[in-house]
């Protein structure tokens, strides 16, 4: 009995600490969303976010009555948000459309400082919101806010191989290696692009790659290592916004983003385009029955290098 009572107290204490921690995270997050909504002319979202932040602060207030009041208000706001989230999304969609009509190319109007802040916040919000579903595209988007000295960012990941289109290019290169006589083969840049339909279904593996890489250039270098080919593969994509392009993020309720808004910030040097380079390795077995005598006897980890490399297109 005594042990059970102590255990229950520790569990309640841990749950209380977890709840307070979540509320302390919710309060500043809701405050930031509310401030951005005010800049972006979204009054309903601003009111809902500000009230949520206020209720979260009241919930952790040391005075018991106020904490219960805050918890009650927070619960009510959660219910209201669950019912009216479509209204908030539609409000953001209308604000984006109105702002795009005003300042996105070929509109002649220059954005105000407040409008720049709103667009900048929208870019960050898109990146953060996409992290759970499209983490690679989200990372590329968020890195736009940080200048790159070299203009390139390297990501070590096999992520591009999630796409059937990239796998086809890499697979075709690997198949050709089995009949090549040489120690080093280079695949010249191959362009890979996805149609607009590739972005559906939402969260699908092909949509995830298309959103991060469309369009991309695939290149590779293969070196013979004994009974196998070691392929170093590089997928490059230019991360920047075009002067005009409408992207539909949601169908119901509708949420569209005009990328020309972010292009305006690129021209103002608030966002910084760069080239994302995805690098990874693949291995292909050598067809030893077809290999010429002496191939595969390399010295050193990387094998021979030199002008004898075969180039494929």
């Amino acid at each position: 009995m005594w042990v059970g009572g102590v255990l229950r107290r520790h569990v309640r204490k841990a749950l209380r600490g977890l709840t307070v921690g979540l509320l302390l995270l919710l309060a500043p997050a809701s405050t930031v969303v509310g401030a951005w909504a005010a800049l972006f002319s979204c009054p309903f979202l601003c009111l809902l976010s500000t009230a949520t932040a206020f209720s979260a602060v009241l919930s952790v207030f040391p005075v018991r009555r106020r904490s219960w009041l805050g918890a009650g208000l927070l619960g009510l706001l959660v219910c209201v948000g669950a019912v009216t989230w479509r209204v908030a999304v539609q409000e953001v969609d209308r604000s984006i459309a109105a702002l795009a009509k005003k300042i996105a190319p070929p509109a002649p109007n220059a954005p105000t400082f407040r409008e720049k802040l709103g667009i900048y916040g929208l870019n960050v919000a898109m990146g953060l919101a996409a992290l759970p579903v499209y983490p690679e595209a989200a990372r590329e988007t968020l890195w736009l806010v940080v200048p790159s000295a070299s203009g390139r960012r390297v990501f070590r990941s096999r992520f591009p191989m999630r796409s059937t289109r990239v796998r086809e290019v890499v697979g075709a290169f690997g198949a050709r290696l089995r009949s090549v006589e040489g120690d080093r083969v280079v695949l010249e840049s191959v362009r890979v692009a996805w149609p607009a339909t590739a972005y559906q279904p939402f969260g699908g593996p092909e949509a995830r790659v298309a959103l991060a890489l469309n369009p991309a250039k695939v290149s590779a270098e293969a070196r013979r290592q004994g009974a196998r080919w070691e392929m170093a593969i590089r997928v490059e994509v230019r991360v920047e916004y075009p002067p005009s392009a409408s992207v539909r993020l949601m169908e119901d309720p509708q949420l569209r983003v005009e990328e020309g808004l972010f292009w305006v910030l690129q021209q103002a040097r608030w966002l910084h385009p760069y080239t994302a380079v995805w690098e990874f390795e693949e291995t292909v077995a050598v067809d030893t029955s077809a290999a010429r005598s002496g191939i595969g006897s390399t010295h050193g980890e990387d094998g021979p290098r030199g002008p004898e490399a075969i180039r494929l297109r």
Side-chain angles (χ1 to χ4, degrees):
M1 294 290 292
W2 177 80
V3 174
V6 172
L7 182 60
R8 284 193 295 272
R9 283 197 297 273
H10 280 292
V11 171
R12 284 197 297 268
K13 185 177 180 180
L15 289 175
R16 190 180 304 114
L18 178 61
T19 302
V20 170
L22 291 175
L23 290 172
L24 290 176
L25 289 174
L26 179 62
S30 298
T31 302
V32 171
V33 172
W36 171 78
L39 289 171
F40 214 66
S41 302
C42 299
F44 177 77
L45 181 59
C46 177
L47 178 62
L48 186 63
S49 300
T50 304
T52 300
F54 179 71
S55 301
V57 171
L58 279 183
S59 299
V60 296
F61 207 82
V63 179
R64 184 173 296 274
R65 290 183 179 179
R66 292 184 180 179
S67 64
W68 279 109
L69 175 62
L73 285 174
L74 186 60
L76 177 62
L77 287 169
V78 168
C79 294
V80 172
V83 174
T84 62
W85 68 273
R86 290 174 174 270
V87 176
V89 172
Q90 291 167 354
E91 184 179 55
V92 173
D93 182 72
R94 288 193 299 270
S95 295
I96 292 174
L99 191 57
K101 187 176 181 180
K102 177 183 176 183
I103 67 171
N109 301 310
T112 65
F113 181 74
R114 172 183 170 177
E115 289 168 342
K116 288 181 180 179
L117 284 177
I119 299 168
Y120 187 89
L122 178 61
N123 182 76
V124 174
M126 286 170 50
L128 294 176
L131 273 174
V133 185
Y134 299 110
E136 295 80 14
R139 287 167 61 191
E140 291 178 347
T141 299
L142 291 172
W143 274 115
L144 282 167
V145 305
V146 182
S148 171
S150 65
R152 298 168 69 87
R153 300 188 192 278
V154 178
F155 303 99
R156 296 283 302 172
S157 171
R158 294 184 73 256
F159 159 71
M161 290 294 282
R162 290 174 176 265
S163 168
T164 56
R165 292 172 182 260
V166 176
R167 289 200 301 270
E168 287 173 359
V169 173
V170 175
F173 178 52
R176 295 170 71 181
L177 289 175
R178 291 190 171 92
S179 60
V180 168
E181 294 185 354
D183 292 334
R184 179 168 170 260
V185 182
V186 175
L187 174 67
E188 301 291 353
S189 179
V190 176
R191 187 177 187 272
V192 179
W194 289 259
T197 54
Y199 297 119
Q200 301 297 328
F202 178 79
E206 198 69 33
R208 181 171 164 181
V209 180
L211 198 62
L213 302 182
N214 195 17
K217 293 181 179 180
V218 181
S219 58
E221 179 180 337
R223 298 177 187 174
R224 192 186 294 267
Q225 298 286 341
R228 68 185 188 277
W229 284 98
E230 297 288 349
M231 296 190 296
I233 302 165
R234 176 178 296 153
V235 181
E236 298 187 9
V237 57
R238 185 64 181 167
V239 182
E240 63 182 348
Y241 290 108
S244 180
S246 181
V247 177
R248 189 184 300 271
L249 299 181
M250 296 177 62
E251 291 287 346
D252 185 23
Q254 179 175 266
L255 179 59
R256 298 160 300 173
V257 173
E258 172 51 58
E259 295 189 344
L261 294 175
F262 306 110
W263 180 85
V264 171
L265 287 195
Q266 288 176 175
Q267 303 309 300
R269 299 184 183 276
W270 282 43
L271 296 178
H272 311 278
Y274 64 95
T275 299
V277 183
W278 296 84
E279 296 181 346
F280 58 97
E281 287 78 34
E282 293 289 329
T283 301
V284 175
V286 173
D287 185 357
T288 55
S289 63
R292 63 179 173 85
S293 175
I295 292 297
S297 56
T298 59
H299 300 280
E301 181 180 357
D302 291 334
R305 300 176 62 97
E308 73 279 1
I310 299 173
R311 297 184 178 273
L312 302 178
R313 294 181 183 273

